Amino acid sequence: MRWALVKVSLAVTTMVVLAFAVPLGLVIREMARDRAFSNAEREAAAVAPALSITTDRDQLERVVASAGSDAGMAVHLPAGEGQEALELGRRRAADEDIAAVRKLGRASTTGVTGGWTLLQPVALSTGKIAVVEVYVPESDVTNGVGTAWAVLAGVGVALILGSVAVADRLGVRMVRPAQRLVEGAHNLGEGRLGARVPEEGPSELRLAAVAFNSMADQVVQLLANERELAADLSHRLRTPLTVLRLNTASLGEGPAADQTRTAVEQLEREVDTIIRTAREAKPQTAAAGPGAGCDAAEVVRERMAFWSALAEDEGRKWRVAGADRPVRIPVARADLAAALDALLGNVFRHTAEGTAFAVDVHNGEDAVIVLVSDAGPGIPDPEAAMARGRGSGSDGSTGLGLDIVRRLAESTGGDVRLGSSVLGGTEVRIWIQLDGRAPASGGHRQMRRRRPGRFAAVYSRSRTH
């Protein structure tokens, strides 16, 4: 569309320039020609009064010399009574041309070598007709024409280039919003729900951009509602199932107890399959924007209040640190709650009763660390456990919990690491980036080298307490 507009503008401007420049160039050439011959007529008219008075050669030579020159003017006098024909100056016109002017009695121009000649008839006192010949060089006829044509050509080219530039800018103003609208639609179709189109350009394209952005917002809102529903189902199903599985341990031995435990395990696997399928089918949404997020300390206190009841039933010691002050993070409240439930559920599921656990929150300048530690046997192969969908390797582990946590951390530019806790078991370290930058190679270790001050000290203390 842009190049089509440029081509149309180029064609139209070229036709307009030619329509004006060609006739104007011809007019300029004719004006130069008329100017040259008008000068010649004035020179011839200067000799006419002298010819009507005298035909004396000496006097006429003085008149010709004062009016022009022997090289540019000639006078042809006819033969008279007792007087031969007389010619003054350099003759260039042919005899037949001079004879024709005498016969017709009017001026004429004729071409000669190197230019033109003006033949002007003048009546003598004897009644004869003399002819004054004025030579007009070709350079006088075309004087200034080339310069004028060059100026016209320059002006025409400038007009054409100017119109092309204006058309190109106008085309960009029209085409660029359309291209952005196409790119936005393509990105939205590929699942990049943060794609938006600047509302600029012509009014029609602005309205289209407004409609597109409104549609994208509605799509994001619908998917967010579905995600909240999936998270809610996860909370409603996984947590009661964990409690139910723990309670089946107190049923003792017997066929009915074994069948109950088998049914609970099968139900857990089915729920894991449903949740995994729902999360894998969910397109990636944009990270929380400025002003969005939640208070991590409040969410930690809320979830620990829930799990503390089960911990007391199983005789587990637990501890919360760093949750006494607000800690804002760019993560939705439901997402953080789902991640904490997944990690704490793993603690209850994969460690024996009476195993202690702790949750620590550390607030830094550019990131927040959430540590979930336990005093269990630990994970034999942390790298395998972090592989997406692999799990810890123990019975009933699907890796879904760590995958939920990984998605939450990576959506902010952070990451998740497994290690040994100070309690002797497993430590899951969630690094939540506050400025929303994309994760760099090397993860949070590069950021600690860049900011080794207060945050590194806090992190070091968390490893020793």
Side-chain angles (χ1 to χ4, degrees):
M1 180 178 179
R2 172 185 175 186
W3 294 116
L5 184 61
V6 170
K7 291 178 180 178
V8 170
S9 175
L10 177 62
V12 172
T13 307
T14 302
M15 289 189 294
V16 172
V17 169
L18 291 177
F20 282 92
V22 172
L24 187 57
L26 296 177
V27 169
I28 291 174
R29 187 182 67 176
E30 291 300 322
M31 290 176 62
R33 179 186 177 90
D34 292 342
R35 182 179 62 249
F37 282 103
S38 296
N39 293 334
E41 289 176 356
R42 284 195 298 271
E43 292 180 8
V47 180
L51 289 174
S52 62
I53 296 173
T54 181
T55 58
D56 182 68
R57 183 184 185 91
D58 295 336
Q59 293 181 358
L60 291 178
E61 285 181 351
R62 287 194 295 270
V63 172
V64 170
S66 63
S69 66
D70 293 341
M73 180 181 291
V75 178
H76 307 283
L77 295 174
E81 297 177 358
Q83 186 179 7
E84 295 181 355
L86 178 64
E87 291 190 359
L88 301 176
R90 181 180 176 182
R91 177 177 178 174
R92 291 181 176 83
D95 292 338
E96 57 270 18
D97 294 332
I98 296 174
V101 170
R102 282 176 176 161
K103 181 180 180 179
L104 297 176
R106 63 173 178 266
S108 69
T109 59
T110 182
V112 296
T113 302
W116 303 79
T117 59
L118 171 67
L119 300 176
Q120 179 70 44
V122 179
L124 301 176
S125 59
T126 60
K128 300 288 185 177
I129 300 297
V131 177
V132 178
E133 176 185 346
V134 180
Y135 174 62
V136 181
E138 185 68 28
S139 59
D140 290 348
V141 176
T142 60
N143 183 28
V145 175
T147 303
W149 283 6
V151 172
L152 284 177
V155 172
V157 171
L159 288 175
I160 292 174
L161 294 178
S163 67
V164 169
V166 172
D168 181 70
R169 292 299 90 196
L170 182 60
V172 168
R173 183 173 177 269
M174 296 178 61
V175 172
R176 186 171 295 170
Q179 291 177 340
R180 290 174 177 172
L181 186 61
V182 172
E183 293 174 358
H186 182 72
N187 293 334
L188 186 64
E190 290 184 347
R192 292 190 282 271
L193 302 181
R196 296 295 184 272
V197 178
E199 298 172 2
E200 58 185 20
S203 58
E204 294 80 2
L205 292 177
R206 286 200 302 270
L207 293 176
V210 171
F212 176 84
N213 293 336
S214 177
M215 178 192 69
D217 292 338
Q218 292 180 4
V219 170
V220 171
Q221 184 62 40
L222 290 175
L223 292 178
N225 293 339
E226 291 184 2
R227 185 178 183 184
E228 292 295 335
L229 179 61
D232 184 64
L233 291 176
S234 173
H235 295 161
R236 293 184 182 184
L237 295 177
R238 289 293 301 275
T239 302
L241 282 176
T242 300
V243 177
L244 183 60
R245 185 186 65 80
L246 296 175
N247 290 338
T248 57
S250 62
L251 295 179
E253 301 296 333
D258 292 339
Q259 291 177 0
T260 302
R261 283 189 285 269
T262 301
V264 171
E265 292 175 358
Q266 181 178 0
L267 184 57
E268 282 187 321
R269 288 193 297 270
E270 294 296 333
V271 171
D272 289 342
T273 301
I274 293 173
I275 297 176
R276 181 186 293 110
T277 302
R279 294 189 67 86
E280 290 178 354
K282 178 187 71 63
Q284 294 293 329
T285 59
C294 67
D295 182 0
E298 181 182 355
V299 177
V300 168
R301 292 195 302 269
E302 175 187 320
R303 300 319 301 162
M304 286 300 292
F306 171 83
W307 289 99
S308 62
L310 295 177
E312 292 177 0
D313 292 342
E314 294 188 358
R316 297 174 181 266
K317 295 182 178 180
W318 57 274
R319 175 179 60 83
V320 177
D324 53 340
R325 294 185 302 273
V327 179
R328 296 294 302 181
I329 59 174
V331 174
R333 181 187 185 90
D335 293 344
L336 180 59
L340 289 174
D341 284 343
L343 294 179
L344 294 174
N346 286 341
V347 172
F348 280 82
R349 185 179 298 108
H350 301 299
T351 61
E353 294 185 4
T355 302
F357 64 96
V359 177
D360 299 275
V361 180
H362 302 286
N363 188 12
E365 295 178 0
D366 57 359
V368 170
I369 288 181
V370 178
L371 300 175
V372 178
S373 309
D374 64 64
I379 298 177
D381 191 353
E383 293 185 2
M386 286 300 299
R388 199 175 296 272
R390 290 279 299 276
S392 65
S394 60
D395 295 338
S397 177
T398 63
L400 178 62
L402 290 178
D403 192 43
I404 294 173
V405 178
R406 184 209 306 272
R407 289 174 184 269
L408 177 140
E410 291 180 351
S411 68
T412 67
D415 61 5
V416 177
R417 297 298 171 92
L418 296 182
S420 299
S421 71
V422 294
L423 299 179
T426 302
E427 176 186 83
V428 181
R429 182 170 64 252
I430 309 173
W431 183 284
I432 300 174
Q433 191 71 21
L434 296 180
D435 55 10
R437 291 175 296 181
S441 175
H444 57 268
R445 288 172 293 186
Q446 290 184 351
M447 288 181 278
R448 285 205 304 273
R449 287 196 298 268
R450 187 173 66 252
R451 298 193 177 193
R454 169 175 168 267
F455 191 81
V458 173
Y459 178 76
S460 177
R461 288 196 301 271
S462 71
R463 302 284 297 173
T464 58
H465 288 330

